[in-house]
């Protein structure tokens, strides 16, 4: 408005006397240029503001680009398919610890401790839960004349040949136990699942077995067995947990340990 008022004042000074030119003609001549000039001036101002905005955006873009070039990638930046680590430290799985044995490797629950107890012939490793020794894992290595785990027959046939892994019935006599056991039987084993995965060209047998005893200890035991053959040796990993603890979180640790077992 200030610039427009100045222009109108200037036009009035330089215009001929009002008495010589009809008022209507004067308004037509004077007002229209003022309107046009005001619009042009407004457009120039808008263009100037627009140019300033563009310049600021360009400057900001240059600054951001320079900052990106000069800075290192933050640990919190997530690659495609990964979760961002906002604390800036690499994420590690603290629930398990890697273990490399003689020709084999597996992941062991971090809160399990090594045990010197040896239950089976050829046992080279045993770890057990700090709070409950029923939750444990063992690795057994025995000589064999088999070329492959499949030479033992089906997974069920293989289990019958290594049934000592499930524990032997110590009582033999006449008894009629409750809980669905046959007469004279105080323990049972039921195969819940079998699998025959192939890992790096090597065949494995995997079995999930639920064993129960007449005394109802732990409500039974979930025993997971993973086995393979290499260079005349039978490699077996057995991990287990009581039925009660199985459903209270032990399942994850036992399954992860058993399925992580592999032979180099």
């Amino acid at each position: 408005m200030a610039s427009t008022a100045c222009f109108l004042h200037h036009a009035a000074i330089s215009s001929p006397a009002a008495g010589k030119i009809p008022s209507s003609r004067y308004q037509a001549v004077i007002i229209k240029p003022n309107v046009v000039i005001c619009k042009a001036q407004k457009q120039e101002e808008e263009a100037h503001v627009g140019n300033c905005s563009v310049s600021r955006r360009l400057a900001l873009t240059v600054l951001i680009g320079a900052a990106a070039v000069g800075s290192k990638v933050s640990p919190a930046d997530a690659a495609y398919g990964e979760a961002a680590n906002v604390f800036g430290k690499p994420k590690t799985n603290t629930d398990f610890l890697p273990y490399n044995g003689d020709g084999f490797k597996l992941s062991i629950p971090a809160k399990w401790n090594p045990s010197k107890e040896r239950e089976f012939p050829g046992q080279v490793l045993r770890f057990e839960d700090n709070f409950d020794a029923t939750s444990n894992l063992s690795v057994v290595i025995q000589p064999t004349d088999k070329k492959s785990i499949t030479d033992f027959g089906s997974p069920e046939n293989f289990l019958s040949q290594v049934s000592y892994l499930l524990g032997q019935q110590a009582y033999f006599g006449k008894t009629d136990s409750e809980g669905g056991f046959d007469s004279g039987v105080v323990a049972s084993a039921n195969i819940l699942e079998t699998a025959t995965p192939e890992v790096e060209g090597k065949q494995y047998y995997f079995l999930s077995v639920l064993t129960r005893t007449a005394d109802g200890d732990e409500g039974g035991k979930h025993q997971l067995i993973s086995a393979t053959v290499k260079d005349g040796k039978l490699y077996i990993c057995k991990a287990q947990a009581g039925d009660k603890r199985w459903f209270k979180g032990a399942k994850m640790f036992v399954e992860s340990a058993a399925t992580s077992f592999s032979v180099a």
Side-chain angles (χ1 to χ4, degrees):
M1 290 296 296
S3 61
T4 302
C6 290
F7 183 80
L8 288 175
H9 178 70
H10 175 73
I13 293 175
S14 60
S15 299
K20 295 182 180 181
I21 301 177
S23 59
S24 60
R25 180 181 177 84
Y26 173 80
Q27 293 175 357
V29 173
I30 298 303
I31 294 175
K32 287 184 179 180
N34 287 336
V35 173
V36 172
I37 291 174
C38 287
K39 288 183 178 179
Q41 186 172 0
K42 185 176 181 181
Q43 290 174 352
E44 290 177 359
E45 291 176 353
E46 292 177 349
H48 176 68
V49 172
N51 290 335
C52 291
S53 299
V54 172
S55 299
R56 285 195 295 269
R57 286 196 297 269
L58 289 174
L60 183 60
T61 302
V62 171
L63 289 174
I64 292 174
V69 171
S71 63
K72 295 182 180 180
V73 178
S74 170
D77 295 337
Y80 180 76
E82 296 179 354
N85 182 2
V86 297
F87 298 105
K89 294 182 179 180
K91 295 174 65 177
T92 57
N93 187 349
T94 57
D95 291 332
F96 296 90
L97 297 175
Y99 183 93
N100 293 313
D102 184 13
F104 67 91
K105 61 182 179 179
L106 75 163
S107 297
I108 297 176
K111 294 183 179 180
W112 289 19
N113 287 332
S115 170
K116 295 181 179 180
E117 182 180 352
R118 294 295 180 261
E119 300 177 271
F120 318 112
Q123 185 172 342
V124 297
L125 179 72
R126 176 184 165 89
F127 274 76
E128 60 185 35
D129 190 340
N130 290 349
F131 304 102
D132 178 28
T134 302
S135 299
N136 61 70
L137 69 83
S138 300
V139 173
V140 177
I141 303 177
Q142 298 175 344
T144 180
D145 58 355
K146 311 296 185 185
K147 302 299 182 182
S148 170
I149 192 70
T150 57
D151 293 337
F152 285 93
S154 66
E156 292 82 1
N157 289 337
F158 166 74
L159 182 62
S160 67
Q161 299 175 60
V162 293
S163 60
Y164 59 85
L165 294 172
L166 306 178
Q168 300 293 331
Q169 178 172 318
Y171 175 82
F172 294 93
K174 296 187 64 175
T175 179
D176 292 315
S177 305
E178 296 181 357
F181 291 96
D182 294 335
S183 179
V185 176
V186 294
S188 68
N190 296 303
I191 298 176
L192 304 181
E193 179 186 358
T194 65
T196 58
E198 183 175 316
V199 181
E200 297 180 356
K202 193 179 284 82
Q203 193 76 51
Y204 287 76
Y205 276 176
F206 179 84
L207 300 99
S208 174
V209 184
L210 176 62
T211 59
R212 296 189 303 124
T213 55
D215 60 7
D217 182 34
E218 282 285 334
K221 297 177 183 177
H222 289 266
Q223 307 199 45
L224 307 184
I225 299 172
S226 180
T228 190
V229 171
K230 181 184 180 183
D231 298 334
K233 294 180 180 179
L234 172 63
Y235 292 81
I236 302 174
C237 173
K238 183 179 82 75
Q240 70 171 38
D243 188 61
K244 293 178 181 179
R245 287 186 175 271
W246 179 263
F247 293 105
K248 292 181 179 180
K251 175 181 179 181
M252 180 190 74
F253 295 101
V254 174
E255 285 186 340
S256 296
T259 57
S260 70
F261 178 72
S262 66
V263 175

